[in-house]
Amino acid sequence: MVLSGRCVIRVPRPLSAAPDWAIIRSIFKFGLPTGLQGIAMTWRGVLLLRFIGSLDFSAAAQAAYAVGYTQLFSLITWTSVGLMSATATIAGQNLGAGKPERSIEGAWVAARIGLGVAAVVGLAFVAVPSTLLGVFGMREPHVLEIGGQLLRYLTVSGFFVTVALVYNGALQGTGDTKSRSTSRSSARSWCR
């Protein structure tokens, strides 16, 4: 179908086997930093687990981390990632329609929804940590103590994570793929 010319995607004629160096450079320009960031994140995780493994109650700490951070905290991060995608769509559509004020309002609304979710989940983290950890079969006192402490910290960080992800989505949806390149004036307009 692609070679027939009846599709939206068409192969240019004549088809060249020579590499397109401009495309290769752009792939490396964007892909290489992303790949390096992924490698750095993996190593940070390895170093964190190495640190947790060196603690007095390392088994309890690793269990609390595995359940608290990777399972329970995902109640906040999953919704925040969904809001990030929705905000990117809303911001991009409204900016493309020539209504930048609606892009800003969409980000504000999504941030408020995310903060509401983070507040409800955080309240559960503070009010019933043993019950939440118990869902995953955690009953040992050291695990419950460490897990409860972790959930209290995650309660606070959940507010920052959700707002950061939502506004990251807004920036990406409006075409800012490198947040470092955002000018001060556009950053100020988002902070109104």
Side-chain angles (χ1 to χ4, degrees):
M1 288 290 291
V2 171
L3 294 175
S4 72
R6 294 181 292 172
C7 283
V8 175
I9 300 172
R10 293 189 175 94
V11 177
R13 300 279 188 209
L15 185 60
S16 174
D20 186 343
W21 293 108
I23 291 177
I24 291 171
R25 275 192 298 277
S26 69
I27 289 172
F28 275 104
K29 181 180 175 183
F30 294 107
L32 195 59
T34 302
L36 292 174
Q37 182 182 15
I39 291 169
M41 288 175 60
T42 301
W43 275 105
R44 285 191 299 243
V46 168
L47 293 174
L48 176 65
L49 289 176
R50 183 177 184 273
F51 170 74
I52 292 171
S54 70
L55 299 173
D56 289 337
F57 299 105
S58 64
Q62 286 178 355
Y65 172 77
V67 170
Y69 187 72
T70 62
Q71 302 301 316
L72 293 173
F73 193 58
S74 66
L75 295 171
I76 294 173
T77 58
W78 284 348
T79 55
S80 299
V81 168
L83 287 168
M84 178 178 72
S85 297
T87 306
T89 303
I90 295 296
Q93 286 177 343
N94 283 299
L95 190 63
K99 299 179 180 180
E101 67 283 349
R102 289 183 60 173
S103 293
I104 295 169
E105 183 61 28
W108 276 101
V109 169
R112 287 193 297 264
I113 293 169
L115 288 170
V117 170
V120 169
V121 173
L123 182 63
F125 284 0
V126 172
V128 288
S130 298
T131 304
L132 293 172
L133 294 168
V135 169
F136 295 90
M138 302 184 133
R139 309 263 186 262
E140 294 181 24
H142 290 299
V143 175
L144 293 176
E145 179 186 348
I146 294 169
Q149 291 174 1
L150 176 61
L151 290 178
R152 286 192 294 277
Y153 282 106
L154 292 177
T155 297
V156 174
S157 67
F159 294 110
F160 294 102
V161 166
T162 193
V163 170
L165 287 174
V166 165
Y167 281 106
N168 185 32
L171 289 171
Q172 288 180 351
T174 57
D176 180 19
T177 57
K178 292 183 185 178
S179 294
R180 294 177 301 226
S181 67
T182 305
S183 67
R184 289 181 189 263
S185 62
S186 66
R188 279 191 210 115
S189 71
W190 280 104
C191 295
R192 276 191 249 153

